[in-house]
Amino acid sequence: MKRTAFVFLILNFAFSNLFSQSVAHRRAETMKLGMNFSYLDNYWNGTKEKQFSDFLKSEEALKRESKFADIAKAGFKTVRVPICFSAWMELKQPYNWRDTKGLEIADSWVKAALASNLNVIVDLHHSEFDGSIPEAIKPERIVSLWLRIAERYKHTDPEKVFFELRNEPHDISAEAWRREASEIIKVVRKIAPKHTLIVGFHEWNGRKQMIESQPFEDSNIIYTFHYYDPFVFTHQGASWVGFGVQDLRNIPFPANGKENKTPDGSKGSWVEGNINAYAEDSKAEKMFADLKAAKDWSIKNKVPIFLGEFGSFGQFSTIEDRCRHAETVYSALGKLGIPNAWWEWDQGFTMFKPGTTSISECMQKAIDSYYTKK
Ligand code: BGC
């Protein structure tokens, strides 16, 4: 009798594990192609005196609501909404909300996305701002942010609304991030037991860092990583990356032997290393292998994955080069069956034909390659 009870317990454990794991897998299957919709993360348009909360202009934010319908109409199934909740919460205990205007807009965006039948990822973005407010990033504060965010969104449909714990944790060790994430998971689980969590790893949602990590105990998690390789192509001219990268221009995709020499200011830096490796790094086979390594990790660990950001900055590269890059990534993602979200809809990384608000033809071809797997 005792033995039967033991076997029953083991079986029960195995099945419940299998079942809850399949919830995350099943939901990941519905994500397919996604799009990041930026604005509620644009803290840099605010001032430090106001804890950056003045970045948000209500009228503009409300006008943007209609764009969820456009994203759905363009065929995307998931929208990732990066939100700087940190701007609206006090810096000290008991960490009350200090400004509810932004929260109300976030609520209404989630509703608008759902009304367009999109999956929505509520993504805690830029809680650290520019690093100039040290209290902002205390682990207990990030956990409190989640306590309040989960309370706010616990009544949303767990089949459609996902919670992403923290965008691109950086300047934090693997161990410290794991401790923080485990705490967040514990807190959110008590409040929202059925919602699927999206969890990335240290070093800016690093792909390699994910592959070197173990999944968490909670089985209702989709793991995420970002892929901006080759970085000297995708971020050429990006002022926010600074040193070296902001001076890069005219890097083609893939390498054709004519790519720029390393700018004088970045000789000897990692940028020079990346430029020297560019001929190799921009090969489709290399990029496929990178993404396959992520997929292999997900298969080995029996957990679903989601590529939460990829794309290219448009100011200094041609749409043709960007389309070739996009197609290389999209077709690899299609072959590997990795759901994903392009960074982003209508700001500096947009897919729009220059000067218009429609997706350029070659970008559409790149998107389609996800399904045709060519
Ligand atoms: C950041 C954006 C940035 C993008 C590409 C995102 O995670 O939040 O501000 O434009 O990465 O670098």
Side-chain angles (χ1 to χ4, degrees):
M1 181 63 192
K2 257 191 183 159
R3 208 173 133 178
T4 328
F6 180 70
V7 170
F8 176 76
L9 248 172
I10 295 284
L11 282 178
N12 195 19
F13 178 74
F15 275 116
S16 63
N17 240 357
L18 202 79
F19 178 70
S20 43
Q21 193 176 56
S22 73
V23 170
H25 270 108
R26 181 170 53 70
R27 288 180 183 160
E29 295 253 306
T30 71
M31 292 174 110
K32 301 194 183 342
L33 294 182
M35 180 55 69
N36 279 279
F37 187 54
S38 183
Y39 179 76
L40 293 182
D41 54 321
N42 291 182
Y43 79 89
W44 54 86
N45 292 328
T47 59
K48 191 174 161 192
E49 297 67 58
K50 299 245 163 75
Q51 209 180 305
F52 299 102
S53 58
D54 49 339
F55 82 84
L56 186 133
K57 307 279 175 274
S58 300
E59 232 173 79
E60 199 177 337
L62 288 172
K63 259 199 244 147
R64 288 179 70 71
E65 230 171 73
S66 64
K67 297 189 192 272
F68 288 104
D70 299 343
I71 292 173
K73 215 153 100 207
F76 295 97
K77 304 293 178 210
T78 298
V79 65
R80 179 174 180 260
V81 187
I83 309 177
C84 188
F85 285 105
S86 188
W88 310 320
M89 198 178 90
E90 284 169 354
L91 292 171
K92 294 197 170 34
Q93 294 266 25
Y95 298 126
N96 287 321
W97 290 124
R98 57 185 282 277
D99 178 345
T100 53
K101 192 178 72 181
L103 296 169
E104 281 153 24
I105 290 189
D107 296 350
S108 107
W109 277 27
V110 169
K111 277 198 197 119
L114 290 172
S116 287
N117 200 26
L118 290 160
N119 295 311
V120 197
I121 301 171
V122 175
D123 157 39
L124 178 63
H125 217 84
H126 288 315
S127 2
E128 66 285 348
F129 308 119
D130 55 1
S132 65
I133 308 183
E135 304 98 294
I137 203 74
K138 276 195 176 163
E140 58 171 36
R141 183 170 183 268
I142 306 290
V143 171
S144 300
L145 268 167
W146 265 111
L147 195 147
R148 303 210 182 281
I149 300 167
E151 272 297 335
R152 200 158 182 107
Y153 294 104
K154 68 181 177 189
H155 295 303
T156 56
D157 180 358
E159 291 297 332
K160 301 292 285 180
V161 179
F162 301 70
F163 298 156
E164 182 166 340
L165 303 195
R166 196 173 150 192
N167 180 62
E168 299 189 339
H170 55 278
D171 298 319
I172 183 168
S173 68
E175 296 72 34
W177 166 240
R178 198 169 182 89
R179 269 197 306 277
E180 184 175 314
S182 305
E183 268 311 297
I184 301 173
I185 294 168
K186 225 192 302 164
V187 161
V188 175
R189 268 296 159 253
K190 279 196 200 132
I191 302 168
K194 296 202 171 130
H195 281 72
T196 296
L197 309 180
I198 302 209
V199 182
F201 292 90
H202 52 295
E203 283 294 314
W204 312 85
N205 283 3
R207 180 185 62 87
K208 288 190 188 135
Q209 287 68 18
M210 177 180 86
I211 292 170
E212 286 161 7
S213 301
Q214 294 297 318
F216 291 80
E217 243 170 69
D218 191 297
S219 53
N220 194 358
I221 293 180
I222 297 171
Y223 292 88
T224 189
F225 66 104
H226 291 176
Y227 190 69
Y228 280 115
D229 285 10
F231 198 75
V232 287
F233 172 74
T234 63
H235 279 70
Q236 57 186 299
S239 57
W240 63 99
V241 180
F243 179 72
V245 175
Q246 70 186 10
D247 305 323
L248 295 173
R249 298 284 185 279
N250 307 318
I251 309 248
F253 186 90
N256 60 12
K258 290 194 205 128
E259 46 274 7
N260 249 1
K261 296 214 178 63
T262 308
D264 283 344
S266 34
K267 290 256 160 65
S269 72
W270 61 269
V271 178
E272 182 169 35
N274 278 18
I275 298 230
N276 292 340
Y278 189 62
E280 193 52 37
D281 289 352
S282 60
K283 282 191 179 145
E285 304 78 56
K286 153 78 169 62
M287 293 169 65
F288 184 84
D290 286 349
L291 295 165
K292 181 167 183 298
K295 181 69 183 193
D296 290 347
W297 179 85
S298 94
I299 294 171
K300 185 177 101 203
N301 289 293
K302 302 188 176 64
V303 291
I305 54 169
F306 163 70
L307 171 56
E309 286 186 23
F310 69 109
S312 56
F313 182 43
Q315 199 175 342
F316 300 105
S317 57
T318 68
I319 189 78
E320 292 79 14
D321 284 308
R322 296 183 62 222
C323 289
R324 279 193 288 273
H325 172 263
E327 187 160 341
T328 304
V329 183
Y330 269 123
S331 70
L333 295 172
K335 286 178 195 142
L336 294 163
I338 303 179
N340 55 77
W342 176 267
W343 183 270
E344 37 63 54
W345 181 242
D346 61 355
Q347 299 186 358
F349 284 58
T350 183
M351 294 177 154
F352 295 161
K353 187 170 172 179
T356 76
T357 52
S358 5
I359 294 181
S360 85
E361 277 162 29
C362 66
M363 278 294 181
Q364 190 56 54
K365 184 170 159 271
I367 298 170
D368 294 344
S369 75
Y370 179 83
Y371 291 110
T372 55
K373 304 182 177 49
K374 283 213 181 103

